[in-house]
Amino acid sequence: MSKRSRFAVTVDRANMILIIRFHSVRNDQEPGPDLIDLLATVESPWLFNAIFDFRRYEADLSRDYLKFLTEKWTALTCGRDQGRSMALVGGNCDLTFNLKAMLDVMPHRRIAICDTFDEGLDWINPGNDARQAA
């Protein structure tokens, strides 16, 4: 059975990080909102760094779909996200290959591709070593 996307967005205001988790759902399940429409419900989402977690995503994440998301995000932010960081947590080689295409389409953002969520969190929030000691 083919799969579609579902997204979960967590807003960490203390660290100014958006955590976006991609999940796959079957086609017979109720569709959710588009990712950019969901992010638009967050007050000033362009002020946040972001972690995109694709580890549980099984549907096709084509370069065309990534381009579509990037264009919608660019229209929403109007350049107000300049200088923010984005960690892309992959899960497999094909996905990582397509995520690498994101490195050039948002030149005003720092973007890294990470293997684990913790690696992405450490990269996006390097000054938060206190959580390690606790």
Side-chain angles (χ1 to χ4, degrees):
M1 177 166 282
S2 62
K3 304 207 180 213
R4 292 180 296 101
S5 306
R6 183 176 64 80
F7 315 100
V9 176
T10 303
V11 180
D12 178 353
R13 292 199 183 278
N15 295 299
M16 294 303 288
I17 299 172
L18 294 174
I19 300 169
I20 299 99
R21 289 192 167 93
F22 281 64
H23 301 274
S24 299
V25 296
R26 294 184 321 269
N27 273 339
D28 60 346
Q29 291 177 300
E30 188 67 31
D34 177 83
L35 175 60
I36 303 303
D37 295 337
L38 187 59
L39 290 173
T41 65
V42 176
E43 183 180 344
S44 304
W46 47 84
L47 297 177
F48 292 81
N49 293 316
I51 298 177
F52 288 81
D53 185 356
F54 296 98
R55 292 173 300 155
R56 293 186 182 103
Y57 193 69
E58 298 169 352
D60 180 35
L61 192 64
S62 69
R63 287 184 183 208
D64 288 340
Y65 183 63
L66 290 171
K67 181 180 176 191
F68 167 76
L69 289 176
T70 302
E71 289 170 354
K72 283 191 74 171
W73 176 256
T74 301
L76 174 70
T77 62
C78 300
R80 295 174 284 194
D81 62 333
Q82 187 166 359
R84 299 290 180 253
S85 299
M86 181 184 304
L88 307 172
V89 181
N92 63 56
C93 296
D94 291 335
L95 178 59
T96 299
F97 179 78
N98 284 339
L99 290 176
K100 286 183 180 179
M102 295 292 292
L103 298 177
D104 293 331
V105 297
M106 300 179 92
H108 58 282
R109 267 191 174 255
R110 287 178 359 136
I111 301 175
I113 298 173
C114 305
D115 292 325
T116 68
F117 184 84
D118 286 340
E119 180 186 343
L121 189 59
D122 289 343
W123 180 83
I124 210 160
N125 198 14
N128 196 6
D129 294 334
R131 69 182 172 89
Q132 302 270 339

